[in-house]
Amino acid sequence: MGSSLRSAQFLIESRLRDAARGDATALYELGIAYSTGTAGVGVDMIEAHKWFNLAAVSGSEAAQECRAEIAEDMTARQVAEAQRQARAWLALTQRRAA
């Protein structure tokens, strides 16, 4: 594994840790990573929508705009799956915090 891939993986892992604590910036940055294919992840609009949705719920206006923008290019089924995954993430992280 090259050092750039390792640092990208570390970035994603550290963002996930922060996201699990409800950090809106980390949630937003994960949305950006998945919507643009940066930080060593592939483009995945369902994942991007999930992270933007979670960031929006945490109060990020930029995430609300990004979520709306990418939703225009997604099917209703994809949006529903992203929302299902966002609810599952919230349930998991809230259970851990309890």
Side-chain angles (χ1 to χ4, degrees), residues 9-45:
Q9 190 174 15
F10 173 77
L11 175 71
I12 292 296
E13 289 170 4
S14 71
R15 295 292 80 191
L16 284 169
R17 277 194 302 277
D18 293 343
R21 290 192 290 270
D23 181 328
T25 301
L27 294 163
Y28 175 75
E29 288 174 358
L30 285 163
I32 292 292
Y34 282 99
S35 65
T36 60
T38 56
V41 299
V43 172
D44 183 333
M45 296 320 250

Side-chain angles (χ1 to χ4, degrees), residues 52-63:
F52 285 141
N53 198 15
L54 291 163
V57 168
S58 297
S60 169
E61 288 184 24

